[in-house]
Each structure stands twice: as structure tokens, then as C-alpha cells.
Amino acid sequence: MKVIVTGASKGIGKGIASFLAMDGFEVGLLARSRDLLEDLRQSIEEQGGTCFAATCDLRDPDSTSAAIAATVDALDGVDALVNNAGLVIRKNVFDITLDEWRAMIDTNINGVYFATRAVLPYLKSQQRGHIVNISSISGKVPLSGGSGYAATKYAVTGFSQSLFHEVRDYGIKVTTVYPGSVDSESHRHDPMADHSWKVTPAEVGAAVRDVLRTAPGTVISEIEVRPLRKA
Ligand SMILES: NC(=O)c1ccc[n+]([C@@H]2O[C@H](COP(=O)([O-])OP(=O)(O)OC[C@H]3O[C@@H](n4cnc5c(N)ncnc54)[C@H](OP(=O)(O)O)[C@@H]3O)[C@@H](O)[C@H]2O)c1
């Protein structure tokens, strides 16, 4: 199966892409950081995996379409897109700046739409495929101190749940994933704190693998991936 993962340069996206590649999936890696993507590409290939890396800025629809077209070309097809990339700026309504607010809207909402619209024609023409959208528990329940972030994640939830109804008749599955606390560096707000209780990026990768491996006529439309232990 050929899967494109956005935001694969670090954090959860890197965990998902690495896990899938080691499980036999062919993986397309998308993000802005060329060097980080190149490091991951080399590491996956050294371990026997198959992948292709393309840089893009998901806030730009042309850049996104070009990277996805190049990836589909290189992998000779696409079966699934994992919309993982996102900006996490956890500030309350008094502290967040206009630029930070706009950057989150652009990345977390527009970016998800731009990648989805670039992949859908391939999936529609083959009458088969899967879009996996990484929302958040903060796309389900309020996040005090992160109203802007929560707004973007509620938007991802709304888009993802509605998209399912728009594309299911074309044989396209949609899954919304709601991670709880995951141990990515950008979520280490206090680097000195204990983060061992959190879900690891690779464990989110395992959950995405399970979601992608359902029978052709079945879709897991939503999953929550939470740490068992509390902070
Ligand atoms: N960590 C958690 O606890 C948690 C919980 C629930 C949900 N989530 C969600 O999981 C996703 C990943 O979070 P994370 O913690 O792994 O964050 P992260 O470590 O900061 O990684 C974010 C990824 O998104 C990419 N990205 C950001 N802006 C981009 C842009 N304009 N164009 C292309 N790529 C871009 C980054 O790559 P470049 O900088 O190289 O472009 C990076 O690969 C986000 O959607 C987040 O909302 C995280």
C-alpha cells in the first residue's frame, strides 16, 4: 500500500511514516524541512523500506499539489493520505498574536484541505483510497489556554467527518484520529518534565496502520489514541 504522510519531518508524522515503512508500506514523506526529510528517507531505505521525500509548504496549494503529484509519480500510485502536519501554538485568546492565529488556520485547516484536494482525483479515478486526518482530543473537547489551536482542530474534525459522507460513494474511506498527549518535541512545553507517560509517535503509527488495514468494504471512521496513564 502506498501512503503519503504530511508533516513527516518530525514528531508524530515521522513516527507514523517510519512505522508504516517498517511494516511494508511504501511511504511518501512531505514537509518543509528538506534536511530532516532526507535524513528520514535515508534511514528508512537503509532499513530496507521504500519511500520518497518531497518538500512543500502546505499553506500554498500549488506547492502542495506539485509535491503530491511528484510523490504519486515516484511511488507509481497512491492509496492513502495521512493529513498529519499541524502547528501547535498553545496560547490563550489574550496572548496569541494575529500572525500565530493565521499561521495555525493556514496550516491546520487550509493545509489539510489543500493536500486532500490534491490527492482526491487519484483516489476518485481508481474508486478506492483512504484519507486519514489527524485531529486531536482538542478537536472534541475545549482546551482552555489553547482556544485558537482547539478551533483549528474542531475544524479538522468537522471537515473530516463531513468529507466521509462526500467521498464514501467513490470507494474512499475517511478516518478521523484523535490523539491525546503524544511525546513529540513540540509538545514538550516543559522539557524537564517527565514525558514517559505519553503515547509515542510510533504508537500513533501503529494505530494508523491498523486503520489502513481494514477490509475493502469496512472503514474505521474514528479512533482516539490516549495514554493509559495520566500526567
Ligand atoms: N503531540 C501531541 O500531543 C498531539 C496531540 C494531538 C494531536 N496532535 C496533532 O498531531 C500533528 C503533529 O503534531 P506534532 O506534535 O508531531 O507536531 P511537530 O512535532 O511540530 O510536527 C509538525 C510537522 O508538521 C510539519 N509542518 C508544519 N507546518 C508545515 C507546513 N506549512 N508545510 C508542511 N509541513 C508543515 C512540520 O514539518 P516542517 O517544519 O519541516 O515543515 C512537522 O513535520 C498535528 O496536527 C497536531 O495537531 C498532536
Side-chain angles (χ1 to χ4, degrees):
M1 193 184 277
K2 297 161 186 186
V3 185
I4 297 175
V5 181
T6 71
S9 61
K10 55 188 168 191
I12 297 176
K14 183 176 178 181
I16 294 171
S18 307
F19 190 92
L20 293 179
M22 291 305 101
D23 209 45
F25 290 75
E26 294 171 52
V27 184
L29 314 169
L30 261 56
R32 290 166 303 178
S33 308
R34 187 177 303 277
D35 291 353
L36 294 180
L37 284 186
E38 192 49 29
D39 289 348
L40 180 59
R41 188 190 65 74
Q42 271 181 25
S43 152
I44 287 174
E45 288 184 354
E46 277 165 21
Q47 295 173 79
T50 302
C51 67
F52 177 79
T55 53
C56 74
D57 187 339
L58 290 160
R59 296 168 297 183
D60 174 356
D62 294 336
S63 162
T64 304
S65 297
I68 284 181
T71 307
V72 174
D73 205 33
L75 297 179
D76 196 22
V78 60
D79 299 299
L81 166 71
V82 180
N83 276 314
N84 160 80
L87 266 192
V88 187
I89 302 173
R90 203 167 161 166
K91 289 191 178 177
N92 69 36
V93 73
F94 299 105
D95 295 333
I96 192 164
T97 67
L98 275 178
D99 283 348
E100 288 170 332
W101 178 277
R102 289 197 177 107
M104 278 200 297
I105 299 278
D106 269 353
T107 310
N108 301 4
I109 305 177
N110 295 344
V112 168
Y113 169 60
F114 294 156
T116 302
R117 77 189 272 279
V119 161
L120 275 179
Y122 300 102
L123 306 186
K124 190 178 170 195
S125 72
Q126 67 202 21
Q127 294 282 295
R128 176 182 52 78
H130 202 151
I131 309 269
V132 177
N133 293 315
I134 307 295
S135 179
S136 169
I137 296 292
S138 303
K140 279 190 137 174
V141 296
L143 178 67
S144 177
S147 48
Y149 176 67
T152 66
K153 288 296 165 178
Y154 270 78
V156 172
T157 299
F159 175 66
S160 189
Q161 292 180 351
S162 307
L163 178 70
F164 173 54
H165 296 288
E166 292 177 359
V167 302
R168 62 189 299 183
D169 289 341
Y170 299 105
I172 301 169
K173 304 179 183 185
V174 179
T175 302
T176 317
V177 180
Y178 305 92
S181 293
V182 181
D183 188 17
S184 67
E185 270 175 44
S186 15
H187 268 246
R188 290 190 168 196
H189 308 293
D190 174 4
M192 303 310 287
D194 172 27
H195 300 281
S196 63
W197 56 277
K198 295 179 178 176
V199 173
T200 66
E203 285 160 354
V204 181
V208 169
R209 184 269 318 268
D210 292 346
V211 157
L212 290 172
R213 285 252 168 92
T214 49
T218 305
V219 56
I220 296 174
S221 50
E222 302 202 290
I223 54 162
E224 288 184 11
V225 186
R226 291 170 174 270
L228 187 55
R229 287 197 287 144
K230 293 182 188 161

